[in-house]
Amino acid sequence: MTQVTSADNGSEYRTSFRSMASEIRFWVHAPHQGVESRIEQARALFDRVAASCTRFDSSSALMRANAVGKEWATVPTECFDAIRAAYDAYVLTDGLFDPRTVEILTELGYSSSLPFESEQIRVSSSGTRKAGRVRPWKPGFDQARGAVRVGEEPIDLGGIGKGCAVRWAAEILADAGDSVLLEAGGDVMALGGGPNGDGWMISVEDPFGACDPVAVLRLVDLAVATSSVRIRSWVVDGEQVHHLIDPRTRRPAQSFLRAVSVVHEDPALAEVWSKSLFIAGRHQIRKLSDDAGLASLWVDVDGRVTTSRAMRDHVAWQVANVQPN
């Protein structure tokens, strides 16, 4: 998870609320006229995405589409666009990002929202996971009707749905003030130069739980997202598992990483790439990042903190190592 750190300077407008199982924060520096209306529009956008894209409500648009599988389902605009963004990400990452994880997570006991703030969560496996080779994902889209076919396996839009919500809310809030910062459960979009005019200062937390950050990033008109197993992990039948599923094994990724942060112009793609690089693992992440020109920072299981070439321009400060636990 990323956290916002900055000094106050001048008039500002701040608000926070809960949506999509996350704390959502808007911070508008030097607000312009009509900021309240913009804030309300952005908040309503989050509520629409949360309502239509959740897998924890059987009546949501996403779950209705999942229920009919290979048949057409009409869904709201936000859900249609999020599913389309998920498919684009699937293609972009050559399948490292694959939202077809609902059945796997359900087998692991993550069929409803879990109290991840608890010290230790223990659940029993449902034992329902399908075996066999994973087929390519080929959803269908009918833009004119706002209809989708998700395919044989149900999909989860949790991470990319939140990233899309930040993307769309940022478009609404772009002219709400001289500078605007949005945070949604660790996904951050930094617009403008921040309170001091030289960039928003964003700290990247220690995935082993220490109070001090592992790095501080300076961002202007950029997003950062972090994928980590520090919070969303639990015990199933004596085995420690987490929510980042490797589509190649259909199991929680064994990547020898604790967290990956990615800076990108698009918050949805920052989310996609942070997850995909985490799944790629410690032995592939540097090459994949540098070949794709991705600005990434990662912490491995031994506590080493490493950055890609493209990330170095955004790092104001970082440590080389942290203490693993």
Side-chain angles (χ1 to χ4, degrees), residues 170 174 177-181 188-194 198-200 202 218-224 263-267 314:
D178 287 356
S179 297
V180 180
L181 188 134
V188 174
M189 184 73 206
L191 301 173
D198 57 354
W200 290 94
I202 311 296
R218 188 187 304 274
L219 303 181
V220 177
D221 296 330
L222 289 169
V224 60
V263 170
H264 199 282
E265 294 176 355
D266 183 344
H314 308 301

Side-chain angles (χ1 to χ4, degrees), residues 84-97 160 269 272 276:
R84 182 79 213 201
Y87 177 64
D88 290 344
Y90 172 80
V91 173
L92 177 66
T93 63
D94 291 328
L96 273 178
F97 177 89
I160 194 167
L269 287 181
V272 163
S276 300

